[in-house]
Amino acid sequence: MAFINSYLNNYTHTTKVPAADLTHRLPPDNILLILTCISMFLVIVGARFWLIGNYGSDLPYWDQWDAEGAYLYKPLHDGTLSFLDWFAPHNEHRVLFTRIVSYVLQVTNGQWDARVQMVVNSSFYALVACCVYWVFAKGRGYVFGLFCSVVLAGIFSCPFGWENTLAGFQSQFYLLTAFSLIVIWLMINASAWSWRWVAGVFLGFSTLFTMASGLLAPLAVLLFVCVAFVRERHNGMGVLSRVWPTVAACLLILVAGFLLMTKVERHAPLKAQGTVAFLNALTSCLSWPWIHQGLWGMVCWLPAILLVARYLLRRVPDGKEERFLITAAVWVVLQAAATAYSRAIVIQSSRYSDIFSFGIVFNFLCALVLLRTRIRSVQGVIWMSLIMVSLVVNAMGMYRLGFNGELTKRKTMYEVEKFRTSGYVATNDFAFLTPVRAETDIPYPVPEKLANLLRDPALEPILPVSVRKALIVTGGPVESVNLIGDYNLDVISPYPWEKLWPFPPSGLRSGNFHYIVKKTQGLPFLHLFVAGDVRKIRFIDQKNGQHGISVLSGAGGNWQEVYVYCPGAECRIVTTGTTEKILFSEPKEMGALSLAAIVITSNSRIFLYSGLFVFFCLIILCQLKRKREPHAEIEGELNLQAHC
């Protein structure tokens, strides 16, 4: 019996060792934090790519034809673009960095494509969300991290700011946000004259070239310095000796910002007409997403107000997070005030929602900071319940703004614009551009100027694939055929004026016949539509390399939207000897980034599901770590040591 007991004890001991080894092999906290950021990034870009794939367009829209086409790409082509032109005003703004992004993408892609810009903008904004999360989740508990990531991912994924997401020329809103938040973090947390502080000052000047409201970041820093001075009023000279370089730098940036300001007279009617109109507009901005419920704005901003009050009374520590949250909240209020003053008539436009949404983000984080030391008390439970109710109400408002039918209207508008623009480029018939039922039936409000830009030798070769001229297909005695039936805007397929070529040609054996396509711009891919079995068609390049067709989407009916890799100056189109009737449209050249944008946005679910999968894996890992370190979670949630 003793032998049996000894054996069982040894067996139990040996079976417990692998489990202990497994828990010790769990990833450290920093790895979990990185994985959470990856999960957030994938979910946010997946949601935004879905929006672009279903409602976006590659055709430049409205201001792009001026800011990029007429004043960037054309002067670059003509050799007349000067250094100062990069800093030239666009309306009230100086969008240097937006111009740089547009230029780099166009040169890299070899093509002007708004969809590529949308994808890059969305990825950049998701990165901003992850950086905000990293700052506040680092060093805290697992539950806090997961909860915070869910809230932030939900806010940044909701399509309330669809106007910015579905327009390639809106990167200035994202750049403004990123630059401003970095400036705030560096200038209030770094020691004067340190390299971080110098970087913050440099970026402070850079914000002036994102949007006109870029000068509000250094103004927010100045206002926080005033708050800090009141808090440390017993040591006023000591505070002043530390912050005077920051004050001086902010004042210099503000002076530069005022000198760079420009006025646009035609926008004067959009401004608030009087103090009452301004205050009403400001209240609406701060009440976002319920812009007509002023009392709700007071509820939403209560955490930030309480944090400022407790900071002044020295009841919260003077930590980096507290300083950043107070200053960032002030920055959002200043942005709301600037919008209420300059755009009081159109504050409900979704293009401003991306900035207004940070009011919810920062107030949520303020509430968590205030609850840090009492989260497990009865009072903490009550306050957390109120926070959850506030988040739910705001989520309902954001959903209402994102799914109110405007997306469908925007999609229809883009399809009409592509139809009319492509028709003019292909036929040179000005009737495609005028008359129009609404000015948004064409992508630029002045038909004559749009026609000149479309025919300009600098822009015509780089037009996006949806509206550019098709390549010429030669086929000996074979004639092209016409598209039978009426064209439907709701179905992606060849336009009625596009030439279609048959396989097999009438009276000829398809196996002994080929078409020739000569390229004009040297872009690596061809885009076309095929009716029939795409597997039976092959493209042969100049080096006799064979390339099969890949399907992008089923275009409706028998048509499929496809692409093929075709290097070199020309290629031959052949079939594998099938007797089945196949039609294909004249191909159009397409850049690599244009293709990548189509493929990425068409497969947005992969990003979304991958992010969710990583998140559920994180839940399991965090549960295992909590079992191994039961007290570490509480310490992480309270984060007491980091603020003592």
Side-chain angles (χ1 to χ4, degrees):
M1 193 68 182
F3 170 78
I4 294 176
N5 290 334
S6 175
Y7 175 78
L8 290 176
N9 289 333
N10 290 334
Y11 178 78
T12 303
H13 175 73
T14 57
T15 55
K16 287 182 178 179
V17 171
D21 289 343
L22 178 62
T23 59
H24 284 293
R25 292 176 183 176
L26 291 174
D29 292 350
N30 284 341
I31 299 300
L32 291 178
L33 188 61
I34 293 173
L35 290 176
T36 308
C37 288
I38 292 174
S39 172
M40 279 184 58
F41 181 85
L42 291 173
V43 169
I44 294 171
V45 297
R48 288 177 175 262
F49 290 168
W50 172 86
L51 191 68
I52 297 169
N54 285 276
Y55 301 98
S57 170
D58 62 352
L59 184 62
Y61 175 66
W62 225 247
D63 288 0
Q64 280 187 274
W65 294 95
D66 277 333
E68 295 180 6
Y71 302 132
L72 180 60
Y73 300 143
K74 178 175 170 54
L76 278 170
H77 178 271
D78 299 338
T80 58
L81 185 71
S82 67
F83 175 76
L84 293 179
D85 289 337
W86 289 91
F87 300 87
H90 173 73
N91 293 330
E92 296 91 346
H93 315 289
R94 297 180 186 271
V95 291
L96 167 66
F97 294 100
T98 295
R99 289 189 175 106
I100 293 175
V101 171
S102 300
Y103 169 73
V104 170
L105 292 178
Q106 191 277 317
V107 171
T108 305
N109 189 35
Q111 195 168 46
W112 190 12
D113 194 317
R115 185 185 286 112
V116 173
Q117 295 171 330
M118 296 175 199
V119 169
V120 172
N121 295 345
S122 296
S123 303
F124 182 74
Y125 205 49
L127 188 60
V128 172
C130 293
C131 291
V132 172
Y133 169 79
W134 178 279
V135 168
F136 286 93
K138 189 175 183 180
R140 296 183 183 271
Y142 317 125
V143 174
F144 174 90
L146 294 178
F147 175 61
C148 190
S149 68
V150 170
V151 173
L152 294 184
I155 293 174
F156 285 93
S157 298
C158 193
F160 47 76
W162 57 267
E163 278 190 272
N164 292 334
T165 308
L166 298 180
F169 190 63
Q170 296 300 96
S171 62
Q172 56 264 35
F173 281 92
Y174 305 141
L175 292 168
L176 167 71
T177 302
F179 279 37
S180 297
L181 295 182
I182 295 173
V183 167
I184 290 171
W185 178 266
L186 293 177
M187 293 192 72
I188 64 172
N189 288 325
S191 301
W193 310 115
S194 67
W195 72 267
R196 290 185 178 87
W197 182 88
V198 172
V201 173
F202 174 78
L203 288 176
F205 281 101
S206 299
T207 57
L208 304 179
F209 301 100
T210 56
M211 292 183 68
S213 59
L215 56 80
L216 297 180
L219 179 57
V221 173
L222 274 180
L223 293 176
F224 172 77
V225 170
C226 296
V227 172
F229 189 83
V230 173
R231 174 188 168 98
E232 304 292 339
R233 54 189 176 275
H234 61 281
N235 186 28
M237 294 304 297
V239 173
L240 188 60
S241 64
R242 293 197 307 269
V243 302
W244 75 262
T246 300
V247 172
C250 289
L251 290 175
L252 287 175
I253 296 172
L254 288 174
V255 171
F258 281 112
L259 293 176
L260 291 171
M261 279 187 175
T262 59
K263 292 184 179 180
V264 181
E265 295 300 332
R266 68 178 183 275
H267 290 167
L270 301 177
K271 294 182 178 180
Q273 306 301 316
T275 305
V276 175
F278 167 73
L279 292 176
N280 288 335
L282 177 60
T283 302
S284 297
C285 293
L286 296 178
S287 302
W288 187 93
W290 301 98
I291 60 175
H292 300 298
Q293 306 295 330
L295 291 177
W296 180 247
M298 297 178 62
V299 175
C300 289
W301 282 89
L302 185 59
I305 295 172
L306 290 176
L307 181 62
V308 173
R310 292 180 66 84
Y311 183 83
L312 288 173
L313 296 174
R314 304 175 63 86
R315 294 182 180 177
V316 294
D318 183 29
K320 292 183 177 181
E321 296 174 3
E322 288 79 6
R323 292 196 293 265
F324 175 76
L325 276 178
I326 292 172
T327 314
V330 171
W331 174 78
V332 175
V333 173
L334 292 175
Q335 290 289 339
T339 306
Y341 171 73
S342 61
R343 296 292 187 270
I345 308 301
V346 291
I347 56 172
Q348 70 277 5
S349 176
S350 71
R351 72 183 63 184
Y352 307 116
S353 296
D354 283 317
I355 291 180
F356 294 161
S357 64
F358 275 96
I360 297 177
V361 171
F362 292 134
N363 276 280
F364 165 71
L365 295 173
C366 285
L368 293 182
V369 168
L370 289 171
L371 290 173
R372 179 174 55 232
T373 57
R374 57 175 67 88
I375 193 170
R376 294 183 180 274
S377 65
V378 175
Q379 183 184 5
V381 172
I382 295 175
W383 276 101
M384 184 58 69
S385 300
L386 294 176
I387 292 172
M388 294 301 298
V389 171
S390 174
L391 289 174
V392 170
V393 174
N394 282 325
M396 294 170 59
M398 290 186 288
Y399 181 87
R400 179 182 60 89
L401 294 178
F403 299 96
N404 56 4
E406 294 299 322
L407 286 173
T408 303
K409 294 180 183 179
R410 177 56 65 99
K411 180 179 181 180
T412 302
M413 182 193 76
Y414 278 152
E415 293 302 324
V416 172
E417 289 178 352
K418 286 192 292 185
F419 183 86
R420 286 180 171 271
T421 306
S422 180
Y424 173 75
V425 171
T427 65
N428 204 28
D429 185 356
F430 194 68
F432 277 100
L433 302 182
T434 186
V436 293
R437 296 168 299 177
E439 63 179 3
T440 53
D441 282 352
I442 55 177
Y444 187 79
V446 184
E448 294 78 12
K449 185 172 182 179
L450 176 62
N452 291 334
L453 291 172
L454 291 170
R455 290 297 180 190
D456 194 285
L459 302 184
E460 190 175 13
I462 64 172
L463 287 176
V465 67
S466 65
V467 300
R468 71 186 294 120
K469 276 188 175 181
L471 298 175
I472 297 176
V473 176
T474 56
V478 180
E479 297 292 337
S480 61
V481 299
N482 294 324
L483 183 65
I484 300 174
D486 295 331
Y487 178 76
N488 185 357
L489 278 176
D490 295 328
V491 178
I492 304 173
S493 59
Y495 291 125
W497 53 81
E498 295 187 24
K499 292 182 179 180
L500 306 175
W501 299 89
F503 269 121
S506 177
L508 296 174
R509 292 181 177 274
S510 62
N512 299 323
F513 184 82
H514 65 264
Y515 295 99
I516 296 177
V517 177
K518 292 187 177 181
K519 299 166 65 178
T520 58
Q521 301 303 318
L523 298 179
F525 293 93
L526 298 179
H527 177 277
L528 64 155
F529 293 93
V530 176
D533 190 352
V534 298
R535 296 171 298 178
K536 302 296 184 180
I537 300 181
R538 290 288 185 271
F539 281 67
I540 303 177
D541 60 35
Q542 290 178 302
K543 296 182 179 180
N544 291 324
Q546 293 196 19
H547 309 281
I549 287 178
S550 301
V551 178
L552 285 172
S553 65
N558 295 323
W559 291 103
Q560 297 181 85
E561 184 182 10
V562 304
Y563 72 92
V564 62
Y565 178 62
C566 182
E570 69 175 37
C571 55
R572 290 176 292 146
I573 309 175
V574 301
T575 64
T576 56
T578 180
T579 58
E580 177 186 352
K581 192 71 173 180
I582 300 176
L583 286 177
F584 67 91
S585 65
E586 288 186 319
K588 299 178 180 180
E589 289 183 271
M590 181 167 60
L593 293 184
S594 295
L595 173 61
I598 295 175
V599 173
I600 287 173
T601 55
S602 299
N603 296 278
S604 57
R605 293 182 179 180
I606 296 177
F607 294 88
L608 184 59
Y609 293 158
S610 298
L612 293 175
F613 174 77
V614 174
F615 179 77
F616 286 121
C617 292
L618 282 168
I619 293 177
I620 297 173
L621 290 174
C622 289
Q623 281 295 107
L624 292 174
K625 286 184 74 70
R626 289 188 70 194
K627 290 181 179 179
R628 191 186 73 178
E629 304 169 0
H631 300 292
E633 174 64 22
I634 299 176
E635 292 176 359
E637 286 178 0
L638 301 181
N639 200 21
L640 295 177
Q641 296 180 355
H643 296 275
C644 291

